[in-house]
């Protein structure tokens, strides 16, 4: 079983910064694509940023230039640096990773429990 644990959420004022962390633990053979999603109250979960195994990154238009996704393949850690935050960034942020085990063979996306980010004006 694999666990993803996020940390680093909190409350900041507009223009502030936060860095979220995501750590993977448990039994697995490889980690594929990793990503951060967020879900604001009353809204659907949306992709914020993603990082593939070759460290190619993608960002949602709303966060491009303000957020940076960083991934450490050796330690299976991922961070989301968030700068110039605004109230529209308020949401629960989730990390997700595609996890592969060889015996038995499984390839499953795992999700963390989420961490709350609140930005006040």
């Amino acid at each position: 079983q694999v666990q993803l644990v996020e940390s680093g959420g909190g409350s900041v004022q507009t223009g502030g910064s936060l860095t979220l962390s995501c750590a993977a633990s448990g039994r697995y053979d490889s980690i594929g694509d990793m990503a951060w999603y967020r879900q604001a109250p009353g809204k659907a979960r949306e992709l914020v940023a993603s990082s593939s195994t070759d460290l190619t990154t993608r960002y949602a238009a709303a966060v491009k230039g303000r957020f940076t996704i960083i991934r450490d393949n050796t330690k299976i850690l991922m961070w989301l640096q968030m700068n110039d935050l605004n109230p529209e960034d308020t949401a629960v942020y989730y990390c997700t990773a595609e996890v592969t085990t060889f015996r038995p063979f499984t390839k499953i996306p795992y999700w963390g429990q989420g961490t709350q980010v609140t930005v006040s004006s």
Side-chain angles (χ1 to χ4, degrees):
Q1 191 74 352
V2 173
Q3 285 189 325
L4 298 180
V5 179
E6 303 103 334
S7 60
S11 298
V12 296
Q13 292 187 326
T14 296
S17 300
L18 284 173
T19 297
L20 306 182
S21 301
C22 176
S25 63
R27 176 184 169 273
Y28 55 86
D29 292 294
S30 70
I31 300 287
D33 293 348
M34 300 182 76
W36 288 96
Y37 281 75
R38 67 185 181 186
Q39 187 166 20
K43 294 187 177 181
R45 190 172 296 188
E46 62 177 0
L47 177 66
V48 176
S50 66
S51 175
S52 60
T53 52
D54 64 0
L55 304 184
T56 299
T57 58
R58 293 183 178 179
Y59 296 91
V63 307
K64 201 168 186 177
R66 300 187 297 121
F67 290 12
T68 303
I69 186 171
I70 301 169
R71 171 178 178 163
D72 183 340
N73 284 335
T74 62
K75 299 181 180 179
I76 313 302
L77 293 173
M78 180 173 65
W79 298 267
L80 185 67
Q81 292 180 342
M82 305 184 294
N83 297 320
D84 193 23
L85 287 161
N86 59 65
E88 289 70 39
D89 296 316
T90 295
V92 177
Y93 285 70
Y94 300 89
C95 70
T96 182
E98 185 181 67
V99 178
T100 298
T101 62
F102 294 148
R103 293 185 179 87
F105 181 80
T106 62
K107 196 170 187 179
I108 301 171
Y110 281 84
W111 292 81
Q113 81 288 353
T115 185
Q116 176 71 46
V117 171
T118 303
V119 185
S120 58
S121 56

